Amino acid sequence: MATSKKYDVVVFGASGFTGQYVVEELGRVTSEEERGLTWAVAGRSEDKLNKVLEKASATIGVDLKDVVDVLVADVEKEETLNDMAAQAQLVLNCVGPYRFFGEPVVKACVKNKAHHIDISGEPQYLESMQFKYDEEAKKKGVYIVQCCGFDSVPADLGVLYTVKNFPGKTGTTDN
Ligand SMILES: NC(=O)c1ccc[n+]([C@@H]2O[C@H](COP(=O)([O-])OP(=O)(O)OC[C@H]3O[C@@H](n4cnc5c(N)ncnc54)[C@H](OP(=O)(O)O)[C@@H]3O)[C@@H](O)[C@H]2O)c1
């Protein structure tokens, strides 16, 4: 990924149940590869984020505090989301429930040309984001990828099965 952004990846909501696992896994993966991915953790409490880095460092045996920056960003403060998205090539958004907290993050990502991945599964959020931001995201070359992870896997497998077994050509599929 060629990028002029400061960070390849920002994990937003790193202090949550899911976010902490993402931090551990990203820490593990990036410490094993040579390319030197640049990344940061983000959330509304700097203190909590520092503790997450400490805990993850102890778990994986790698000092993340030296290589991972901490950004303070709050869903309720638009300028902090813009600041985060402006520095990120990709925002991994772990802040939910998405129907309450998701839109401002998608909006900031599209505005500031950051790709966005989340672990949502709420149909109303998914569809309204597609309606509102699809056109602008396409124009800017930004990917908004939703529904990644555990709960979404059965639906994805269902689509894959249907595509493989459908007697004819498949164009688009809806879950
Ligand atoms: N795809 C799936 O299979 C799947 C499965 C389970 C859940 N989910 C989704 O994933 C979401 C996260 O789950 P979780 O269990 O990790 O939740 P969680 O432990 O409650 O974590 C929520 C995170 O959001 C942050 N947050 C809340 N309000 C915020 C705000 N105003 N600004 C910035 N950050 C804010 C919290 O920060 P603080 O630490 O500061 O409070 C925390 O880091 C759920 O809401 C759900 O939508 C998906």
Side-chain angles (χ1 to χ4, degrees):
M1 285 191 301
T3 174
S4 57
K5 301 281 190 98
K6 184 170 181 187
Y7 304 110
D8 294 315
V9 179
V10 173
V11 182
F12 185 43
S15 57
F17 178 82
T18 311
Q20 293 184 54
Y21 281 105
V22 173
V23 171
E24 270 180 29
E25 195 53 27
L26 203 52
R28 212 185 314 270
V29 170
T30 53
S31 68
E32 284 166 5
E33 65 160 39
E34 288 170 10
R35 199 174 62 81
L37 195 86
T38 55
W39 63 291
V41 291
R44 58 186 171 173
S45 161
E46 188 173 358
D47 189 40
K48 275 192 185 177
L49 294 169
N50 281 319
K51 286 192 179 124
V52 167
L53 287 179
E54 265 169 36
K55 189 171 162 224
S57 299
T59 305
I60 65 177
V62 176
D63 191 0
L64 296 176
K65 287 194 88 176
D66 277 352
V67 286
V68 181
D69 287 345
V70 170
L71 307 178
V72 175
D74 189 319
V75 167
E76 283 163 29
K77 294 179 185 152
E78 191 177 352
E79 71 282 4
T80 64
L81 297 181
N82 283 326
D83 189 48
M84 171 180 74
Q87 298 183 73
Q89 172 83 343
L90 166 68
V91 173
L92 281 180
N93 182 14
C94 303
V95 176
Y98 293 91
R99 66 186 178 284
F100 300 135
F101 302 142
E103 178 166 2
V105 188
V106 171
K107 186 178 171 192
C109 284
V110 173
K111 182 174 177 189
N112 294 283
K113 293 191 180 173
H115 303 302
H116 171 282
I117 294 178
D118 69 41
I119 52 166
S120 62
E122 296 127 280
Q124 197 183 356
Y125 161 72
L126 301 173
E127 286 178 11
S128 64
M129 292 308 96
Q130 287 164 23
F131 273 124
K132 287 189 183 177
Y133 298 100
D134 181 62
E135 204 170 312
E136 192 186 345
K138 271 186 191 152
K139 269 191 206 148
K140 292 190 167 171
V142 169
Y143 290 96
I144 305 296
V145 181
Q146 300 172 295
C147 273
C148 288
F150 170 75
D151 242 0
S152 314
V153 172
D156 284 345
L157 289 176
V159 170
L160 192 64
Y161 179 86
T162 306
V163 169
K164 277 191 172 164
N165 292 286
F166 187 73
K169 267 193 175 177
T170 43
T172 59
T173 49
D174 282 328
N175 287 331

PDB file of all heavy atoms in Angstrom, residues 43-82:
ATOM      1  N   GLY A  43      -9.043   6.066  20.483  1.00  0.00           N
ATOM      2  CA  GLY A  43     -10.223   5.910  21.327  1.00  0.00           C
ATOM      3  C   GLY A  43     -10.400   7.170  22.143  1.00  0.00           C
ATOM      4  O   GLY A  43      -9.625   8.122  22.001  1.00  0.00           O
ATOM      5  N   ARG A  44     -11.416   7.146  23.021  1.00  0.00           N
ATOM      6  CA  ARG A  44     -11.699   8.406  23.727  1.00  0.00           C
ATOM      7  C   ARG A  44     -10.914   8.540  25.035  1.00  0.00           C
ATOM      8  O   ARG A  44     -10.925   9.604  25.645  1.00  0.00           O
ATOM      9  CB  ARG A  44     -13.196   8.536  23.979  1.00  0.00           C
ATOM     10  CG  ARG A  44     -13.780   7.398  24.762  1.00  0.00           C
ATOM     11  CD  ARG A  44     -15.274   7.519  24.860  1.00  0.00           C
ATOM     12  NE  ARG A  44     -15.844   6.305  25.435  1.00  0.00           N
ATOM     13  CZ  ARG A  44     -17.103   6.170  25.763  1.00  0.00           C
ATOM     14  NH1 ARG A  44     -17.931   7.165  25.550  1.00  0.00           N
ATOM     15  NH2 ARG A  44     -17.539   5.027  26.281  1.00  0.00           N
ATOM     16  N   SER A  45     -10.279   7.464  25.487  1.00  0.00           N
ATOM     17  CA  SER A  45      -9.512   7.553  26.738  1.00  0.00           C
ATOM     18  C   SER A  45      -8.046   7.178  26.497  1.00  0.00           C
ATOM     19  O   SER A  45      -7.721   6.015  26.264  1.00  0.00           O
ATOM     20  CB  SER A  45     -10.127   6.633  27.799  1.00  0.00           C
ATOM     21  OG  SER A  45      -9.197   6.368  28.811  1.00  0.00           O
ATOM     22  N   GLU A  46      -7.189   8.184  26.604  1.00  0.00           N
ATOM     23  CA  GLU A  46      -5.755   7.945  26.392  1.00  0.00           C
ATOM     24  C   GLU A  46      -5.215   6.953  27.431  1.00  0.00           C
ATOM     25  O   GLU A  46      -4.414   6.072  27.121  1.00  0.00           O
ATOM     26  CB  GLU A  46      -5.016   9.289  26.496  1.00  0.00           C
ATOM     27  CG  GLU A  46      -3.562   9.194  26.113  1.00  0.00           C
ATOM     28  CD  GLU A  46      -2.885  10.555  26.067  1.00  0.00           C
ATOM     29  OE1 GLU A  46      -3.545  11.591  26.300  1.00  0.00           O
ATOM     30  OE2 GLU A  46      -1.679  10.570  25.804  1.00  0.00           O
ATOM     31  N   ASP A  47      -5.718   7.115  28.654  1.00  0.00           N
ATOM     32  CA  ASP A  47      -5.267   6.248  29.737  1.00  0.00           C
ATOM     33  C   ASP A  47      -5.594   4.774  29.434  1.00  0.00           C
ATOM     34  O   ASP A  47      -4.747   3.889  29.545  1.00  0.00           O
ATOM     35  CB  ASP A  47      -5.987   6.719  31.016  1.00  0.00           C
ATOM     36  CG  ASP A  47      -5.433   6.050  32.236  1.00  0.00           C
ATOM     37  OD1 ASP A  47      -4.203   5.889  32.288  1.00  0.00           O
ATOM     38  OD2 ASP A  47      -6.233   5.662  33.119  1.00  0.00           O
ATOM     39  N   LYS A  48      -6.832   4.534  28.985  1.00  0.00           N
ATOM     40  CA  LYS A  48      -7.231   3.159  28.661  1.00  0.00           C
ATOM     41  C   LYS A  48      -6.386   2.603  27.511  1.00  0.00           C
ATOM     42  O   LYS A  48      -5.989   1.442  27.515  1.00  0.00           O
ATOM     43  CB  LYS A  48      -8.704   3.127  28.215  1.00  0.00           C
ATOM     44  CG  LYS A  48      -9.700   3.029  29.343  1.00  0.00           C
ATOM     45  CD  LYS A  48     -11.074   2.719  28.752  1.00  0.00           C
ATOM     46  CE  LYS A  48     -12.157   2.724  29.783  1.00  0.00           C
ATOM     47  NZ  LYS A  48     -13.485   2.490  29.209  1.00  0.00           N
ATOM     48  N   LEU A  49      -6.115   3.448  26.512  1.00  0.00           N
ATOM     49  CA  LEU A  49      -5.356   2.986  25.340  1.00  0.00           C
ATOM     50  C   LEU A  49      -3.927   2.612  25.739  1.00  0.00           C
ATOM     51  O   LEU A  49      -3.389   1.601  25.265  1.00  0.00           O
ATOM     52  CB  LEU A  49      -5.343   4.062  24.248  1.00  0.00           C
ATOM     53  CG  LEU A  49      -6.718   4.357  23.618  1.00  0.00           C
ATOM     54  CD1 LEU A  49      -6.657   5.608  22.756  1.00  0.00           C
ATOM     55  CD2 LEU A  49      -7.205   3.167  22.791  1.00  0.00           C
ATOM     56  N   ASN A  50      -3.332   3.404  26.632  1.00  0.00           N
ATOM     57  CA  ASN A  50      -1.983   3.068  27.095  1.00  0.00           C
ATOM     58  C   ASN A  50      -1.989   1.731  27.832  1.00  0.00           C
ATOM     59  O   ASN A  50      -1.084   0.920  27.679  1.00  0.00           O
ATOM     60  CB  ASN A  50      -1.431   4.183  27.989  1.00  0.00           C
ATOM     61  CG  ASN A  50      -0.914   5.346  27.151  1.00  0.00           C
ATOM     62  OD1 ASN A  50      -0.274   5.139  26.118  1.00  0.00           O
ATOM     63  ND2 ASN A  50      -1.186   6.563  27.579  1.00  0.00           N
ATOM     64  N   LYS A  51      -3.047   1.504  28.615  1.00  0.00           N
ATOM     65  CA  LYS A  51      -3.145   0.230  29.345  1.00  0.00           C
ATOM     66  C   LYS A  51      -3.315  -0.945  28.378  1.00  0.00           C
ATOM     67  O   LYS A  51      -2.772  -2.029  28.596  1.00  0.00           O
ATOM     68  CB  LYS A  51      -4.310   0.273  30.337  1.00  0.00           C
ATOM     69  CG  LYS A  51      -3.972   1.152  31.535  1.00  0.00           C
ATOM     70  CD  LYS A  51      -4.972   0.999  32.668  1.00  0.00           C
ATOM     71  CE  LYS A  51      -4.541   1.884  33.832  1.00  0.00           C
ATOM     72  NZ  LYS A  51      -5.524   2.827  34.276  1.00  0.00           N
ATOM     73  N   VAL A  52      -4.085  -0.706  27.313  1.00  0.00           N
ATOM     74  CA  VAL A  52      -4.277  -1.766  26.299  1.00  0.00           C
ATOM     75  C   VAL A  52      -2.926  -2.136  25.672  1.00  0.00           C
ATOM     76  O   VAL A  52      -2.602  -3.324  25.501  1.00  0.00           O
ATOM     77  CB  VAL A  52      -5.255  -1.294  25.191  1.00  0.00           C
ATOM     78  CG1 VAL A  52      -5.221  -2.230  23.986  1.00  0.00           C
ATOM     79  CG2 VAL A  52      -6.671  -1.198  25.751  1.00  0.00           C
ATOM     80  N   LEU A  53      -2.128  -1.108  25.356  1.00  0.00           N
ATOM     81  CA  LEU A  53      -0.813  -1.388  24.753  1.00  0.00           C
ATOM     82  C   LEU A  53       0.085  -2.145  25.730  1.00  0.00           C
ATOM     83  O   LEU A  53       0.795  -3.078  25.334  1.00  0.00           O
ATOM     84  CB  LEU A  53      -0.135  -0.089  24.306  1.00  0.00           C
ATOM     85  CG  LEU A  53      -0.733   0.584  23.060  1.00  0.00           C
ATOM     86  CD1 LEU A  53       0.020   1.871  22.739  1.00  0.00           C
ATOM     87  CD2 LEU A  53      -0.735  -0.353  21.854  1.00  0.00           C
ATOM     88  N   GLU A  54       0.014  -1.749  27.006  1.00  0.00           N
ATOM     89  CA  GLU A  54       0.826  -2.448  28.024  1.00  0.00           C
ATOM     90  C   GLU A  54       0.423  -3.915  28.125  1.00  0.00           C
ATOM     91  O   GLU A  54       1.261  -4.810  28.119  1.00  0.00           O
ATOM     92  CB  GLU A  54       0.590  -1.810  29.400  1.00  0.00           C
ATOM     93  CG  GLU A  54       1.604  -0.767  29.778  1.00  0.00           C
ATOM     94  CD  GLU A  54       1.161   0.013  31.007  1.00  0.00           C
ATOM     95  OE1 GLU A  54       0.546  -0.578  31.926  1.00  0.00           O
ATOM     96  OE2 GLU A  54       1.406   1.239  31.034  1.00  0.00           O
ATOM     97  N   LYS A  55      -0.889  -4.143  28.172  1.00  0.00           N
ATOM     98  CA  LYS A  55      -1.393  -5.516  28.350  1.00  0.00           C
ATOM     99  C   LYS A  55      -1.053  -6.368  27.117  1.00  0.00           C
ATOM    100  O   LYS A  55      -0.583  -7.499  27.244  1.00  0.00           O
ATOM    101  CB  LYS A  55      -2.916  -5.464  28.563  1.00  0.00           C
ATOM    102  CG  LYS A  55      -3.513  -6.783  28.976  1.00  0.00           C
ATOM    103  CD  LYS A  55      -4.975  -6.632  29.380  1.00  0.00           C
ATOM    104  CE  LYS A  55      -5.662  -7.982  29.347  1.00  0.00           C
ATOM    105  NZ  LYS A  55      -6.955  -7.975  28.731  1.00  0.00           N
ATOM    106  N   ALA A  56      -1.277  -5.790  25.938  1.00  0.00           N
ATOM    107  CA  ALA A  56      -0.992  -6.548  24.714  1.00  0.00           C
ATOM    108  C   ALA A  56       0.502  -6.845  24.603  1.00  0.00           C
ATOM    109  O   ALA A  56       0.906  -7.942  24.193  1.00  0.00           O
ATOM    110  CB  ALA A  56      -1.482  -5.771  23.487  1.00  0.00           C
ATOM    111  N   SER A  57       1.330  -5.870  24.992  1.00  0.00           N
ATOM    112  CA  SER A  57       2.788  -6.073  24.951  1.00  0.00           C
ATOM    113  C   SER A  57       3.178  -7.258  25.824  1.00  0.00           C
ATOM    114  O   SER A  57       3.987  -8.105  25.427  1.00  0.00           O
ATOM    115  CB  SER A  57       3.522  -4.824  25.453  1.00  0.00           C
ATOM    116  OG  SER A  57       3.228  -3.722  24.651  1.00  0.00           O
ATOM    117  N   ALA A  58       2.585  -7.303  27.034  1.00  0.00           N
ATOM    118  CA  ALA A  58       2.910  -8.398  27.953  1.00  0.00           C
ATOM    119  C   ALA A  58       2.438  -9.739  27.383  1.00  0.00           C
ATOM    120  O   ALA A  58       3.119 -10.754  27.494  1.00  0.00           O
ATOM    121  CB  ALA A  58       2.253  -8.140  29.306  1.00  0.00           C
ATOM    122  N   THR A  59       1.272  -9.728  26.740  1.00  0.00           N
ATOM    123  CA  THR A  59       0.711 -10.984  26.210  1.00  0.00           C
ATOM    124  C   THR A  59       1.547 -11.540  25.057  1.00  0.00           C
ATOM    125  O   THR A  59       1.799 -12.735  24.980  1.00  0.00           O
ATOM    126  CB  THR A  59      -0.744 -10.760  25.723  1.00  0.00           C
ATOM    127  OG1 THR A  59      -1.494 -10.205  26.787  1.00  0.00           O
ATOM    128  CG2 THR A  59      -1.385 -12.058  25.262  1.00  0.00           C
ATOM    129  N   ILE A  60       1.964 -10.646  24.147  1.00  0.00           N
ATOM    130  CA  ILE A  60       2.662 -11.159  22.953  1.00  0.00           C
ATOM    131  C   ILE A  60       4.191 -11.078  23.079  1.00  0.00           C
ATOM    132  O   ILE A  60       4.909 -11.556  22.206  1.00  0.00           O
ATOM    133  CB  ILE A  60       2.205 -10.430  21.664  1.00  0.00           C
ATOM    134  CG1 ILE A  60       2.585  -8.940  21.684  1.00  0.00           C
ATOM    135  CG2 ILE A  60       0.721 -10.599  21.437  1.00  0.00           C
ATOM    136  CD1 ILE A  60       2.223  -8.201  20.394  1.00  0.00           C
ATOM    137  N   GLY A  61       4.663 -10.453  24.157  1.00  0.00           N
ATOM    138  CA  GLY A  61       6.115 -10.406  24.363  1.00  0.00           C
ATOM    139  C   GLY A  61       6.839  -9.453  23.425  1.00  0.00           C
ATOM    140  O   GLY A  61       7.994  -9.681  23.064  1.00  0.00           O
ATOM    141  N   VAL A  62       6.142  -8.387  23.014  1.00  0.00           N
ATOM    142  CA  VAL A  62       6.747  -7.369  22.141  1.00  0.00           C
ATOM    143  C   VAL A  62       6.378  -6.007  22.723  1.00  0.00           C
ATOM    144  O   VAL A  62       5.216  -5.791  23.081  1.00  0.00           O
ATOM    145  CB  VAL A  62       6.163  -7.456  20.698  1.00  0.00           C
ATOM    146  CG1 VAL A  62       6.710  -6.341  19.824  1.00  0.00           C
ATOM    147  CG2 VAL A  62       6.419  -8.820  20.086  1.00  0.00           C
ATOM    148  N   ASP A  63       7.360  -5.075  22.815  1.00  0.00           N
ATOM    149  CA  ASP A  63       7.029  -3.774  23.394  1.00  0.00           C
ATOM    150  C   ASP A  63       6.337  -2.886  22.357  1.00  0.00           C
ATOM    151  O   ASP A  63       7.000  -2.245  21.541  1.00  0.00           O
ATOM    152  CB  ASP A  63       8.297  -3.106  23.935  1.00  0.00           C
ATOM    153  CG  ASP A  63       7.936  -1.874  24.772  1.00  0.00           C
ATOM    154  OD1 ASP A  63       6.725  -1.580  24.899  1.00  0.00           O
ATOM    155  OD2 ASP A  63       8.862  -1.225  25.280  1.00  0.00           O
ATOM    156  N   LEU A  64       5.022  -2.826  22.425  1.00  0.00           N
ATOM    157  CA  LEU A  64       4.265  -2.046  21.430  1.00  0.00           C
ATOM    158  C   LEU A  64       4.318  -0.547  21.728  1.00  0.00           C
ATOM    159  O   LEU A  64       4.145   0.270  20.830  1.00  0.00           O
ATOM    160  CB  LEU A  64       2.804  -2.505  21.408  1.00  0.00           C
ATOM    161  CG  LEU A  64       2.552  -3.949  20.955  1.00  0.00           C
ATOM    162  CD1 LEU A  64       1.072  -4.292  21.075  1.00  0.00           C
ATOM    163  CD2 LEU A  64       3.017  -4.164  19.524  1.00  0.00           C
ATOM    164  N   LYS A  65       4.582  -0.189  22.982  1.00  0.00           N
ATOM    165  CA  LYS A  65       4.519   1.243  23.332  1.00  0.00           C
ATOM    166  C   LYS A  65       5.580   2.058  22.597  1.00  0.00           C
ATOM    167  O   LYS A  65       5.407   3.251  22.378  1.00  0.00           O
ATOM    168  CB  LYS A  65       4.624   1.424  24.844  1.00  0.00           C
ATOM    169  CG  LYS A  65       3.340   0.994  25.538  1.00  0.00           C
ATOM    170  CD  LYS A  65       3.265   1.458  26.951  1.00  0.00           C
ATOM    171  CE  LYS A  65       2.640   2.839  27.021  1.00  0.00           C
ATOM    172  NZ  LYS A  65       2.436   3.327  28.377  1.00  0.00           N
ATOM    173  N   ASP A  66       6.647   1.400  22.185  1.00  0.00           N
ATOM    174  CA  ASP A  66       7.705   2.101  21.443  1.00  0.00           C
ATOM    175  C   ASP A  66       7.334   2.338  19.980  1.00  0.00           C
ATOM    176  O   ASP A  66       7.870   3.230  19.349  1.00  0.00           O
ATOM    177  CB  ASP A  66       8.994   1.247  21.450  1.00  0.00           C
ATOM    178  CG  ASP A  66       9.762   1.482  22.738  1.00  0.00           C
ATOM    179  OD1 ASP A  66       9.360   2.384  23.485  1.00  0.00           O
ATOM    180  OD2 ASP A  66      10.727   0.742  22.971  1.00  0.00           O
ATOM    181  N   VAL A  67       6.453   1.516  19.440  1.00  0.00           N
ATOM    182  CA  VAL A  67       6.197   1.586  17.989  1.00  0.00           C
ATOM    183  C   VAL A  67       4.760   1.961  17.615  1.00  0.00           C
ATOM    184  O   VAL A  67       4.468   2.227  16.452  1.00  0.00           O
ATOM    185  CB  VAL A  67       6.539   0.235  17.303  1.00  0.00           C
ATOM    186  CG1 VAL A  67       8.035   0.035  17.193  1.00  0.00           C
ATOM    187  CG2 VAL A  67       5.877  -0.940  17.986  1.00  0.00           C
ATOM    188  N   VAL A  68       3.869   1.975  18.599  1.00  0.00           N
ATOM    189  CA  VAL A  68       2.460   2.255  18.296  1.00  0.00           C
ATOM    190  C   VAL A  68       2.036   3.564  18.963  1.00  0.00           C
ATOM    191  O   VAL A  68       2.169   3.715  20.179  1.00  0.00           O
ATOM    192  CB  VAL A  68       1.553   1.095  18.794  1.00  0.00           C
ATOM    193  CG1 VAL A  68       0.094   1.379  18.456  1.00  0.00           C
ATOM    194  CG2 VAL A  68       1.987  -0.230  18.181  1.00  0.00           C
ATOM    195  N   ASP A  69       1.536   4.501  18.169  1.00  0.00           N
ATOM    196  CA  ASP A  69       1.092   5.784  18.726  1.00  0.00           C
ATOM    197  C   ASP A  69      -0.333   5.693  19.277  1.00  0.00           C
ATOM    198  O   ASP A  69      -1.098   4.785  18.903  1.00  0.00           O
ATOM    199  CB  ASP A  69       1.129   6.869  17.643  1.00  0.00           C
ATOM    200  CG  ASP A  69       2.554   7.279  17.300  1.00  0.00           C
ATOM    201  OD1 ASP A  69       3.461   6.945  18.076  1.00  0.00           O
ATOM    202  OD2 ASP A  69       2.746   7.909  16.261  1.00  0.00           O
ATOM    203  N   VAL A  70      -0.669   6.656  20.117  1.00  0.00           N
ATOM    204  CA  VAL A  70      -2.011   6.726  20.725  1.00  0.00           C
ATOM    205  C   VAL A  70      -2.690   8.008  20.241  1.00  0.00           C
ATOM    206  O   VAL A  70      -2.137   9.093  20.369  1.00  0.00           O
ATOM    207  CB  VAL A  70      -1.892   6.731  22.266  1.00  0.00           C
ATOM    208  CG1 VAL A  70      -3.232   7.051  22.909  1.00  0.00           C
ATOM    209  CG2 VAL A  70      -1.364   5.388  22.776  1.00  0.00           C
ATOM    210  N   LEU A  71      -3.882   7.864  19.659  1.00  0.00           N
ATOM    211  CA  LEU A  71      -4.647   9.034  19.194  1.00  0.00           C
ATOM    212  C   LEU A  71      -5.944   9.118  19.984  1.00  0.00           C
ATOM    213  O   LEU A  71      -6.642   8.113  20.135  1.00  0.00           O
ATOM    214  CB  LEU A  71      -5.012   8.892  17.711  1.00  0.00           C
ATOM    215  CG  LEU A  71      -3.900   8.608  16.699  1.00  0.00           C
ATOM    216  CD1 LEU A  71      -4.499   8.469  15.304  1.00  0.00           C
ATOM    217  CD2 LEU A  71      -2.873   9.718  16.727  1.00  0.00           C
ATOM    218  N   VAL A  72      -6.268  10.314  20.453  1.00  0.00           N
ATOM    219  CA  VAL A  72      -7.544  10.476  21.157  1.00  0.00           C
ATOM    220  C   VAL A  72      -8.597  10.908  20.145  1.00  0.00           C
ATOM    221  O   VAL A  72      -8.440  11.922  19.456  1.00  0.00           O
ATOM    222  CB  VAL A  72      -7.415  11.497  22.315  1.00  0.00           C
ATOM    223  CG1 VAL A  72      -8.768  11.746  22.955  1.00  0.00           C
ATOM    224  CG2 VAL A  72      -6.421  10.984  23.346  1.00  0.00           C
ATOM    225  N   ALA A  73      -9.652  10.106  20.017  1.00  0.00           N
ATOM    226  CA  ALA A  73     -10.739  10.415  19.083  1.00  0.00           C
ATOM    227  C   ALA A  73     -12.057   9.953  19.696  1.00  0.00           C
ATOM    228  O   ALA A  73     -12.135   8.862  20.266  1.00  0.00           O
ATOM    229  CB  ALA A  73     -10.503   9.708  17.745  1.00  0.00           C
ATOM    230  N   ASP A  74     -13.059  10.811  19.574  1.00  0.00           N
ATOM    231  CA  ASP A  74     -14.364  10.526  20.179  1.00  0.00           C
ATOM    232  C   ASP A  74     -15.436  10.678  19.108  1.00  0.00           C
ATOM    233  O   ASP A  74     -15.433  11.674  18.367  1.00  0.00           O
ATOM    234  CB  ASP A  74     -14.598  11.541  21.320  1.00  0.00           C
ATOM    235  CG  ASP A  74     -15.826  11.217  22.162  1.00  0.00           C
ATOM    236  OD1 ASP A  74     -16.863  10.816  21.584  1.00  0.00           O
ATOM    237  OD2 ASP A  74     -15.753  11.378  23.380  1.00  0.00           O
ATOM    238  N   VAL A  75     -16.333   9.715  19.030  1.00  0.00           N
ATOM    239  CA  VAL A  75     -17.413   9.757  18.039  1.00  0.00           C
ATOM    240  C   VAL A  75     -18.212  11.055  18.134  1.00  0.00           C
ATOM    241  O   VAL A  75     -18.729  11.557  17.148  1.00  0.00           O
ATOM    242  CB  VAL A  75     -18.343   8.527  18.230  1.00  0.00           C
ATOM    243  CG1 VAL A  75     -19.635   8.676  17.455  1.00  0.00           C
ATOM    244  CG2 VAL A  75     -17.626   7.255  17.818  1.00  0.00           C
ATOM    245  N   GLU A  76     -18.295  11.578  19.360  1.00  0.00           N
ATOM    246  CA  GLU A  76     -19.097  12.793  19.541  1.00  0.00           C
ATOM    247  C   GLU A  76     -18.335  14.078  19.224  1.00  0.00           C
ATOM    248  O   GLU A  76     -18.894  15.169  19.318  1.00  0.00           O
ATOM    249  CB  GLU A  76     -19.665  12.819  20.956  1.00  0.00           C
ATOM    250  CG  GLU A  76     -20.847  11.859  21.046  1.00  0.00           C
ATOM    251  CD  GLU A  76     -21.218  11.504  22.469  1.00  0.00           C
ATOM    252  OE1 GLU A  76     -20.996  12.329  23.355  1.00  0.00           O
ATOM    253  OE2 GLU A  76     -21.740  10.388  22.650  1.00  0.00           O
ATOM    254  N   LYS A  77     -17.073  13.955  18.851  1.00  0.00           N
ATOM    255  CA  LYS A  77     -16.276  15.155  18.503  1.00  0.00           C
ATOM    256  C   LYS A  77     -15.753  14.990  17.078  1.00  0.00           C
ATOM    257  O   LYS A  77     -14.701  14.355  16.852  1.00  0.00           O
ATOM    258  CB  LYS A  77     -15.128  15.333  19.492  1.00  0.00           C
ATOM    259  CG  LYS A  77     -15.625  15.646  20.886  1.00  0.00           C
ATOM    260  CD  LYS A  77     -14.483  15.797  21.870  1.00  0.00           C
ATOM    261  CE  LYS A  77     -15.043  15.984  23.284  1.00  0.00           C
ATOM    262  NZ  LYS A  77     -14.153  15.510  24.320  1.00  0.00           N
ATOM    263  N   GLU A  78     -16.497  15.601  16.152  1.00  0.00           N
ATOM    264  CA  GLU A  78     -16.232  15.401  14.723  1.00  0.00           C
ATOM    265  C   GLU A  78     -14.786  15.722  14.342  1.00  0.00           C
ATOM    266  O   GLU A  78     -14.164  15.012  13.551  1.00  0.00           O
ATOM    267  CB  GLU A  78     -17.201  16.286  13.919  1.00  0.00           C
ATOM    268  CG  GLU A  78     -17.208  15.963  12.449  1.00  0.00           C
ATOM    269  CD  GLU A  78     -18.240  16.802  11.683  1.00  0.00           C
ATOM    270  OE1 GLU A  78     -19.047  17.517  12.318  1.00  0.00           O
ATOM    271  OE2 GLU A  78     -18.211  16.739  10.452  1.00  0.00           O
ATOM    272  N   GLU A  79     -14.251  16.793  14.920  1.00  0.00           N
ATOM    273  CA  GLU A  79     -12.894  17.209  14.517  1.00  0.00           C
ATOM    274  C   GLU A  79     -11.862  16.150  14.886  1.00  0.00           C
ATOM    275  O   GLU A  79     -10.865  15.971  14.176  1.00  0.00           O
ATOM    276  CB  GLU A  79     -12.538  18.598  15.098  1.00  0.00           C
ATOM    277  CG  GLU A  79     -12.294  18.689  16.587  1.00  0.00           C
ATOM    278  CD  GLU A  79     -13.573  18.698  17.456  1.00  0.00           C
ATOM    279  OE1 GLU A  79     -14.697  18.557  16.926  1.00  0.00           O
ATOM    280  OE2 GLU A  79     -13.433  18.835  18.691  1.00  0.00           O
ATOM    281  N   THR A  80     -12.116  15.399  15.972  1.00  0.00           N
ATOM    282  CA  THR A  80     -11.148  14.360  16.366  1.00  0.00           C
ATOM    283  C   THR A  80     -11.208  13.184  15.386  1.00  0.00           C
ATOM    284  O   THR A  80     -10.196  12.548  15.113  1.00  0.00           O
ATOM    285  CB  THR A  80     -11.392  13.849  17.812  1.00  0.00           C
ATOM    286  OG1 THR A  80     -12.684  13.194  17.877  1.00  0.00           O
ATOM    287  CG2 THR A  80     -11.337  14.971  18.824  1.00  0.00           C
ATOM    288  N   LEU A  81     -12.402  12.912  14.839  1.00  0.00           N
ATOM    289  CA  LEU A  81     -12.531  11.832  13.848  1.00  0.00           C
ATOM    290  C   LEU A  81     -11.852  12.234  12.546  1.00  0.00           C
ATOM    291  O   LEU A  81     -11.181  11.421  11.893  1.00  0.00           O
ATOM    292  CB  LEU A  81     -14.007  11.508  13.585  1.00  0.00           C
ATOM    293  CG  LEU A  81     -14.805  10.984  14.779  1.00  0.00           C
ATOM    294  CD1 LEU A  81     -16.244  10.699  14.348  1.00  0.00           C
ATOM    295  CD2 LEU A  81     -14.170   9.738  15.382  1.00  0.00           C
ATOM    296  N   ASN A  82     -12.026  13.503  12.155  1.00  0.00           N
ATOM    297  CA  ASN A  82     -11.365  13.988  10.942  1.00  0.00           C
ATOM    298  C   ASN A  82      -9.847  13.913  11.096  1.00  0.00           C
ATOM    299  O   ASN A  82      -9.134  13.504  10.173  1.00  0.00           O
ATOM    300  CB  ASN A  82     -11.787  15.422  10.631  1.00  0.00           C
ATOM    301  CG  ASN A  82     -13.177  15.460  10.015  1.00  0.00           C
ATOM    302  OD1 ASN A  82     -13.566  14.563   9.274  1.00  0.00           O
ATOM    303  ND2 ASN A  82     -13.928  16.499  10.316  1.00  0.00           N
TER     304      ASN A  82
END
